[in-house]
Amino acid sequence: MMAITAGMDMADIGWEIKCREEDLKQRALENERRAIDDARRSVDEKAEQLKALGQQSALIAGFAMVVMVEASIPEDLNEVLLVLYGASASMVVALMLISMLNATFILVAILRYDCVNREVPFAHFWHTRCETDFRLALILFSYGIPLFMFVLALLGWVIFWDHTNASVYASSVVSVIAVGAMTVFYTHIQRKWGDFLINPEVMLYNPDAGMAASKHKRKQPDSARSK
């Protein structure tokens, strides 16, 4: 009887050990699947960012090329204005083209990353091989946008140079709109998102939210503050 009981106990212990081993194998398999999914999710996230940057850079470069090629330049155009127009339009195309090519090459590189074997963690791969070039592409893109607006400001004077009636007014309107767009870009968009996108160590901070909160506190009566 004792031998049967001991045998049953040994069988129970063996069964528990087997279940434990299977449980460990299942957990290891789930962890591996989770790691593969995390790697693929990281690759997809960076790929979407690079696609957006490359597409927008190519779009602005195309606009600048069309503006430079298709614009009818008067023969008696001021030489300084002509040089500024040609140089700024060429710089926009060059900056956006380098940004697009950089984003495209990084995109091809990360799509070749092996999410299954993961010989190198994707975070380490991105930090050592792609982060610097991605920052460069963003910086060039951020420089090309205001420069493109400067081309727009000059475009009005180039197009309306031969128009004697109200040419100054029409050119001034175009320039004012371009300068206004440039001001909005620097005072709001670049100020809010520039450092956050270029420098990954910068915490997300909304300067406008802080100003709104301080104004709200000033508007509150003393009784509400005391509460």
Side-chain angles (χ1 to χ4, degrees):
M1 189 66 180
M2 293 178 61
I4 296 175
T5 304
M8 293 178 63
D9 292 338
M10 293 295 295
D12 291 339
I13 294 174
W15 176 256
E16 291 178 359
I17 294 174
K18 183 178 180 181
C19 292
R20 179 62 177 172
E21 292 177 352
E22 292 180 355
D23 184 58
L24 291 175
K25 291 180 180 179
Q26 185 65 26
R27 290 185 180 181
L29 183 60
E30 291 178 357
N31 292 333
E32 181 67 18
R33 290 176 179 174
R34 191 177 296 109
I36 294 174
D37 292 339
D38 292 340
R40 288 175 177 173
R41 192 179 300 110
S42 299
V43 171
D44 293 339
E45 177 185 352
K46 295 300 182 182
E48 291 298 326
Q49 295 177 5
L50 292 168
K51 287 178 183 178
L53 181 60
Q55 290 174 359
Q56 297 303 317
S57 299
L59 183 64
I60 297 178
F63 284 158
M65 181 66 71
V66 170
V67 167
M68 183 172 56
V69 173
E70 298 295 333
S72 57
I73 300 177
E75 296 182 358
D76 57 343
L77 184 65
N78 184 271
E79 296 179 356
V80 177
L81 181 59
L82 180 61
V83 171
L84 286 176
Y85 177 74
S88 57
S90 301
M91 288 181 64
V92 171
V93 175
L95 291 175
M96 293 300 175
L97 185 61
I98 295 175
S99 178
M100 180 199 67
L101 293 176
N102 219 354
T104 303
F105 275 74
I106 299 174
L107 178 61
V108 174
I110 67 172
L111 290 179
R112 292 180 58 187
Y113 178 79
D114 190 359
C115 297
V116 178
N117 295 324
R118 300 184 312 282
E119 297 178 359
V120 178
F122 180 77
H124 180 73
F125 170 75
W126 175 265
H127 181 71
T128 55
R129 298 295 302 269
C130 307
E131 184 69 35
T132 304
D133 293 333
F134 182 66
R135 291 185 189 179
L136 177 62
L138 279 175
I139 292 173
L140 295 178
F141 182 78
S142 62
Y143 287 166
I145 292 175
L147 194 58
F148 179 74
M149 297 175 186
F150 180 71
V151 173
L152 179 62
L154 296 178
L155 183 62
W157 297 94
V158 173
I159 293 178
F160 302 118
W161 183 264
D162 285 340
H163 297 269
T164 56
N165 297 328
S167 61
V168 176
Y169 299 104
S171 303
S172 300
V173 168
V174 176
S175 299
V176 168
I177 293 174
V179 171
M182 189 185 304
T183 303
V184 172
F185 173 76
Y186 273 114
T187 58
H188 179 70
I189 301 175
Q190 181 68 18
R191 175 171 170 264
K192 182 178 180 180
W193 298 107
D195 292 337
F196 175 71
L197 294 177
I198 295 174
N199 189 0
E201 298 179 356
V202 175
M203 298 296 293
L204 179 59
Y205 169 67
N206 186 0
D208 299 332
M211 296 175 59
S214 61
K215 291 180 180 178
H216 180 68
K217 290 182 179 180
R218 288 197 297 267
K219 289 181 180 180
Q220 286 182 347
D222 296 336
S223 59
R225 294 180 184 177
S226 62
K227 292 180 182 180

